[in-house]
Amino acid sequence: MKPAAFDYHSPATIDEAVQLLSELGDDAKIIAGGQSLMPMLNLRLAAFDHLVDLRRIGDLRGIEVRDDSVWIGAGTTHTAIGRSAQIRSNVPLLAEATPLIGHFQIRNRGTIGGSIAHADAAAEYPAVTLALDAEFDAISPRGVRRIAATDFFKGLWGTELAEDEILTGVIVPIRSGRTGYAIEEFARRSGDFAIAGAAVSVRLDADSRVEHCAIALFGLASSVVRVQTVEQSVIGLRADDIEPDGIGVDALASLSSIPADLHGSADYRKRVGSLMVARAWRRAVEGAINDQH
Ligand SMILES: Cc1cc2nc3c(=O)[nH]c(=O)nc-3n(C[C@H](O)[C@H](O)[C@H](O)COP(=O)(O)OP(=O)(O)OC[C@H]3O[C@@H](n4cnc5c(N)ncnc54)[C@H](O)[C@@H]3O)c2cc1C
């Protein structure tokens, strides 16, 4: 199928894009890589009178170390992130997650900003940004604001972004201390969205006690979620004394509801999800123990 007719706009600067969105109002929609939006338009699940394409805006692309964080422009493609040496050494979880997203054609066009704004509950980048305590910069006619990932994702495809707000960048803290990371997911075929997945980061102190940890789940609730009660329950414990399978069971037990669909019942997702958390926890702890940074 083809999408319903729309007017196409291709601003060259962020200011121009902000101005356009403000003038066109609710009838306009941002398009970046088009890898989520175009299928929805083609299937006529959505229709807009105007599409505002961000791809000409150079200021939305790039990867830079800024103080103790890495800034990633919202228009940076998954492929550019996967190939970046800066990302591999400073934010290894993002590098590990990238090949799990779709296929290379999708990664060549899809952008991190599009993935975050689309906020699919089974998407890798939203879960990874949650696990890394990332923040997002957004701009609108009302100005610029920074939003913590933990405040951003709101229920099914919902986010903190207003209709006229453009995500400009993702800010991820650089690894510090004895840290380890891992992402694990189960999908029926390589490139499919995950049926269940977990992204984990763990920081240990000199005595190998958990100083900080984050467990983010994807495909297991109406949006990506952190399981903070479980995280808090292991702070201060020695890593050796924590049973990964127990963390997996506790993480899934803490969810108020687990989705069921053609790909799996809630009970199936609960079992697979527990296993993904346990695997990711085990690998993250191993990484922290062996961390030479
Ligand atoms: C076959 C297939 C398999 C896929 N598999 C996976 C997978 O396994 N894991 C996964 O995570 N994703 C998967 N995807 C989705 C893919 O990663 C998308 O690229 C991504 O979700 C959206 O990025 P985009 O740049 O293409 O955004 P677009 O499709 O252009 O836009 C998506 C949404 O984000 C909004 N948006 C885009 N950029 C901005 C911005 N800067 N500010 C504010 N709003 C913005 C748009 O208005 C739209 O609502 C798959 C897609 C396909 C077609």
Side-chain angles (χ1 to χ4, degrees):
M1 278 177 75
K2 290 202 166 75
F6 54 82
D7 287 339
Y8 175 78
H9 306 265
S10 180
T13 65
I14 295 175
D15 285 350
E16 237 183 87
V18 170
Q19 176 77 21
L20 263 171
L21 287 170
S22 145
E23 282 167 16
L24 298 170
D26 289 350
D27 292 335
K29 188 74 173 161
I30 292 171
I31 183 163
Q35 297 305 293
S36 296
L37 187 60
M38 280 317 297
M40 293 174 76
L41 297 179
N42 287 342
L43 292 168
R44 307 236 173 165
L45 296 172
F48 296 94
D49 292 340
H50 301 272
L51 289 191
V52 177
D53 189 345
L54 302 181
R55 275 179 306 173
R56 274 213 302 150
I57 306 178
D59 286 348
L60 288 179
R61 288 190 297 274
I63 297 166
E64 288 169 22
V65 172
R66 295 182 179 175
D67 302 323
D68 50 4
S69 301
V70 175
W71 174 87
I72 306 164
T76 308
T77 62
H78 308 337
T79 295
I81 291 169
R83 287 187 181 156
S84 163
Q86 304 259 39
I87 296 287
R88 262 199 310 282
S89 70
N90 294 312
V91 197
L93 186 59
L94 209 47
E96 187 182 330
T98 300
L100 301 175
I101 303 173
H103 309 280
F104 71 87
Q105 296 92 336
I106 289 149
R107 298 194 291 271
N108 284 345
R109 295 187 81 94
T111 65
I112 189 165
S115 177
I116 303 296
H118 187 62
D120 193 293
E124 287 83 0
Y125 280 169
V128 165
T129 56
L130 266 187
L132 294 174
D133 292 308
E135 295 177 307
F136 308 130
D137 278 345
I139 187 167
S140 72
R142 297 170 298 288
V144 174
R145 64 176 178 139
R146 185 162 285 190
I147 311 159
T150 43
D151 296 329
F152 187 83
F153 301 103
K154 309 269 180 202
L156 196 62
W157 284 307
T159 73
E160 195 34 47
L161 279 184
E163 281 300 320
D164 62 350
E165 242 175 344
I166 302 175
L167 212 55
T168 55
V170 176
I171 300 98
V172 195
I174 290 179
R175 61 188 299 166
S176 67
R178 294 176 73 201
T179 44
Y181 308 91
I183 181 166
E184 290 282 348
E185 69 175 41
F186 178 75
R188 278 189 208 282
R189 300 171 306 184
S190 157
D192 282 0
F193 271 102
I195 291 174
V200 172
S201 85
V202 178
R203 189 172 71 234
L204 301 178
D205 67 13
D207 197 25
S208 289
R209 290 179 190 278
V210 178
E211 205 168 58
H212 174 82
C213 69
I215 303 168
L217 307 180
F218 54 107
L220 291 165
S222 61
S223 69
V224 291
V225 281
R226 279 268 295 265
V227 284
Q228 278 158 337
T229 47
V230 180
E231 294 167 14
Q232 278 151 19
S233 72
V234 294
I235 297 293
L237 300 185
R238 281 182 59 88
D240 288 351
D241 295 335
I242 302 168
E243 180 47 55
D245 292 339
I247 297 261
V249 170
D250 290 350
L252 271 292
S254 73
L255 298 178
S256 54
S257 80
I258 300 175
D261 58 24
L262 279 176
H263 303 294
S265 64
D267 189 49
Y268 174 75
R269 277 201 162 81
K270 194 171 185 177
R271 282 184 285 131
V272 177
S274 299
L275 191 60
M276 295 303 112
V277 174
R279 283 185 186 167
W281 179 269
R282 197 173 277 117
R283 278 207 299 118
V285 167
E286 273 169 24
I289 288 170
N290 297 324
D291 187 14
Q292 303 297 324
H293 273 73

